[in-house]
């Protein structure tokens, strides 16, 4: 008899053989499926006696999934609403980076301005000048699945970052 698990990181269905036992790592994203790395998101469920909400996993923990007679699985209605909201937010973003941990699309959380007091630029010996000087902006992104954060230089400051590299390339081309 086969059992099914849903990876909490990449949301991929993992089918395993009962004789071999459950997978310890997801074969798709290579994240651990058990222990402290498994994130359980508890959303309030309606208390209307709906049988879809009364399913528990083998270990007795509430899985949030219920088998339907036609073989499909249903998920928590509130979580589906959250996923729809996430999709609308992603549609409005200029950039949609992929999470380096679980490969979900990341939501733009905001922009941070890095000032001169909190930033000391590196000066590569080969250039003799900093690659980027303060102030500049950093855009923060958050993964809605695993809550990993990523930051990127703001689009308006990327040309400032590349300018010293371009000047060096032009100077090398003129000398060579």
């Amino acid at each position: 008899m086969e059992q099914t698990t849903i990876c909490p990181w990449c949301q991929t269905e993992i089918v395993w053989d009962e004789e071999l036992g459950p997978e310890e790592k997801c074969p798709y994203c290579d994240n651990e499926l058990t222990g402290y790395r498994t994130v359980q998101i508890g959303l309030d469920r309606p208390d209307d006696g709906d049988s879809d909400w009364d399913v528990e996993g083998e270990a007795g923990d509430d899985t949030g999934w219920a088998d339907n007679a036609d073989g499909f699985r249903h998920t928590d209605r509130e979580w589906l609403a959250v996923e729809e909201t996430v999709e609308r937010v992603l549609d409005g973003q200029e950039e949609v980076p992929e999470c380096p941990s679980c490969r979900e699309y990341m939501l733009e959380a905001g922009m941070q301005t890095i000032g001169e007091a909190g930033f000391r630029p590196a000066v590569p010996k080969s250039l003799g000048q900093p690659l980027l000087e303060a102030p500049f902006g950093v855009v923060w992104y958050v993964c809605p699945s695993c809550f990993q954060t990523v930051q990127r230089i703001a689009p308006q400051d990327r040309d400032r970052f590349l300018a010293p590299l371009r000047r060096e390339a032009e100077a090398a081309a003129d000398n060579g």
Side-chain angles (χ1 to χ4, degrees):
M1 167 140 187
E2 292 183 348
Q3 298 241 350
T4 303
T5 302
I6 304 296
C7 175
W9 297 93
C10 67
Q11 303 299 314
T12 305
E13 183 177 22
I14 303 164
V15 180
W16 51 274
D17 189 313
E18 191 174 279
E19 292 178 16
L20 298 176
E23 298 280 348
E24 290 182 14
K25 289 188 174 190
C26 175
Y28 302 99
C29 68
D30 204 34
N31 278 297
E32 287 185 25
L33 295 174
T34 59
Y36 69 94
R37 292 187 184 196
T38 300
V39 177
Q40 298 294 328
I41 299 174
L43 296 174
D44 293 334
R45 299 216 171 111
D47 191 17
D48 59 4
D50 188 348
S51 63
D52 283 357
W53 310 113
D54 300 331
V55 174
E56 291 190 359
E58 281 187 38
D61 58 329
D62 191 350
T63 62
W65 294 87
D67 282 326
N68 193 357
D70 57 7
F72 291 102
R73 294 189 172 275
H74 297 280
T75 187
D76 194 302
R77 290 181 189 124
E78 289 182 47
W79 184 246
L80 285 175
V82 168
E83 287 178 338
E84 290 174 9
T85 303
V86 166
E87 288 298 320
R88 284 195 305 275
V89 171
L90 290 171
D91 288 343
Q93 289 182 196
E94 286 186 34
E95 293 183 342
V96 183
E98 203 175 77
C99 177
S101 180
C102 70
R103 301 291 189 222
E104 288 289 326
Y105 291 123
M106 301 183 84
L107 300 174
E108 184 177 330
M111 181 146 93
Q112 178 181 13
T113 301
I114 307 296
E116 291 180 20
F119 181 73
R120 186 175 56 227
V123 180
K125 290 181 182 181
S126 62
L127 295 179
Q129 65 182 12
L131 289 171
L132 186 63
E133 294 187 53
F136 61 92
V138 174
V139 180
W140 282 85
Y141 295 92
V142 179
C143 176
S145 290
C146 71
F147 305 104
Q148 173 85 17
T149 59
V150 170
Q151 57 191 25
R152 291 186 175 175
I153 294 175
Q156 63 270 19
D157 294 316
R158 292 175 188 168
D159 283 337
R160 284 184 41 217
F161 174 78
L162 294 174
L165 300 171
R166 286 187 189 120
R167 284 193 293 270
E168 182 66 21
E170 290 170 0
D174 290 342
N175 291 336

